[in-house]
Amino acid sequence: MRSTSSKPLLWAVFIIYVMLFCFAMYRHELWGDEYHSWNIAKASKNVWELLSNIRYEGHPPLWYLILFTISKFTHNLGGIQAVHLCIVIVAVYILLLHSDIPVASRIWMPFGYYLLFEFTLLSRNYAIGLLLAFCICMIIRRQFGGKLLVYYLLLFLLTNTHLLGIFLAGSLHLYFLIYCAEQKEKAGLVILHGVLGILLVIPALSFVFPPADSVLNPQFFSNKWQLKQQAATIVLAPLRALMPIPVWWDGHFWNTQFLIDAQRQFPVLKIVNPIFSLGLLVLVFFILRGNKKSLLLFGVNLLLTFATAAIFPLTSARYVGFIYIGFIVAYWLHASETPTTLGARRLAGILLALQLAGGAIAVTKDIRYPFSNAYRAHGLFSEVPPSDKIVTDYWCLNVLSAFVDKPFYCVDLGQEVTFLKWKADVFKTVISGESAHYDGMMKYMADNNLRYVYFMTIYSPEALRKLDPQFVDCFKLELIDKREGAIEKYGDLYLYRVREK
């Protein structure tokens, strides 16, 4: 339960967090998924066009609507981070100053991996989900005028953040239904609440399931489905979520977990890691067992995440992270109803220590090294003489479109575009077209009667040779400049001058 005596401490923690987070955000360089969403938003002329463009994304529209609104005032990418920073600060303020989580746990939560780095420092559709989930936790047990209207609005918005946001919203609504039944609400009213919850999900699901010609169609995932791999993903998901300590000795630490990575060198960990993963879930069980509704909330959210992993491989930290967020909201609601025991608080301290370790490693590295070199695209672009032509390829298009703010010709697409659209036919050409770069470059140079052209890509000379040997063999590629050393594996840039041999 909240105590006024702890307010000065919590305000101090909040101020420290804001200062640290603002500095970390200032030092963070935007990467592909962050400016991919931005490119779609700023290229859309109106809301209806935006909703049409994001049909291929597999995400509900809330974050895109926010970006669309920003883009009508500025095309400066700093606007994304400024708005995202405000969202994060409000979410952490609510967590620290308005939650019922024990103070000893609360003061450390904001500095963990997900609340200091993965869901907050990276400007995507996750922090808005945190904010909405925390708002629901703040009001779900309170009584005030217009509560139901506010509750369902928050729930609707949460379903429109992400597929995993839908699962979290469903888990919270199940808690709400049980709470209503405990408050002796009429059975018909509880059933009505259940039906309303289902109806709220339908608009978001229409965006989660993209059109048949999307690369994210069921066939795409069924072709990649392997029982052994999917089972391993499910078994190790709690380990990734609740012990998010990355491979700190690797420059490309993002989306790694040190124990899972160490399996290659120490095969015994293939047996030990599933035990660790199960042990972390047992830890959560003992923390939450004093309140069945909260334990059920966490369990349902976990099982829905596992169900997703059976189809879509949740190997990225941002996906499995909803398991940890499910723990936070479950722990919050547990503490709002049932006093937590000393043992439960100590066990929660173990989970928080693991989050703190992961957060410290990730943020320290992100401050010291460029997360992506995309922000240096304009500098490379300025090295091209104004009278000369520059082209790009599929995976670099987002970089140039975001930071130079204009469309570019993609050699492997054979056309000029402003943003990427995950259409199956386009993606198939890029992935399986053995000579896509060669064919596109030949066509562009012939159509424009050029002897040479500048070409910016994320591929090094060695990577280009593996990708399209004919392109490298039939053209003379002169490396003009490069930007290397990014944390994100595909965050480096290379500028070539390309001539026919």
Side-chain angles (χ1 to χ4, degrees), residues 214-420:
S214 168
V215 70
L216 302 176
N217 59 38
Q219 183 179 357
F220 174 81
F221 293 112
S222 64
N223 291 340
K224 299 170 75 70
W225 198 91
Q226 295 181 0
L227 178 60
K228 185 177 179 180
Q229 180 181 346
Q230 304 303 98
T233 298
I234 293 172
V235 169
L236 296 178
L239 183 64
R240 290 181 181 274
L242 303 176
M243 190 188 289
I245 301 174
V247 180
W248 61 85
W249 58 89
D250 188 345
H252 301 303
F253 73 89
W254 188 45
N255 282 327
T256 65
Q257 204 282 341
F258 81 106
L259 288 175
I260 296 174
D261 185 85
Q263 288 180 169
R264 291 175 291 182
Q265 187 174 357
F266 305 101
V268 68
L269 288 175
K270 293 181 179 180
I271 299 174
V272 174
N273 283 344
I275 297 174
F276 278 157
S277 195
L278 177 61
L280 290 169
L281 291 181
V282 172
L283 199 67
V284 172
F285 170 80
F286 279 103
I287 294 169
L288 300 176
R289 64 174 177 166
N291 186 281
K292 293 181 179 179
K293 292 196 300 296
S294 296
L295 187 60
L296 182 63
L297 187 162
F298 175 82
V300 170
N301 184 66
L302 176 69
L303 291 176
L304 289 173
T305 303
F306 283 172
T308 305
I311 302 171
F312 182 74
L314 304 182
T315 53
S316 298
R318 59 189 180 275
Y319 299 142
V320 296
F322 274 84
I323 296 175
Y324 176 68
I325 302 307
F327 164 72
I328 290 180
V329 300
Y331 191 34
W332 180 332
L333 295 174
H334 173 14
S336 68
E337 181 179 1
T338 310
T340 55
T341 64
L342 178 60
R345 293 196 295 272
R346 286 176 174 173
L347 293 177
I350 296 173
L351 291 181
L352 293 176
L354 297 174
Q355 293 289 326
L356 287 171
I361 293 169
V363 171
T364 300
K365 284 184 172 290
D366 195 31
I367 290 173
R368 292 182 62 191
Y369 306 105
F371 192 82
S372 168
N373 278 310
Y375 75 104
R376 306 170 81 175
H378 201 284
L380 283 182
F381 177 78
S382 66
E383 295 182 31
V384 178
S387 58
D388 290 334
K389 300 286 188 180
I390 179 172
V391 298
T392 188
D393 55 14
Y394 190 78
W395 295 114
C396 192
L397 179 277
N398 265 332
V399 179
L400 281 170
S401 181
F403 289 90
V404 183
D405 198 22
K406 55 180 284 191
F408 285 87
Y409 180 86
C410 280
V411 293
D412 42 359
L413 290 183
Q415 59 181 305
E416 187 176 87
V417 290
T418 304
F419 62 90
L420 302 183

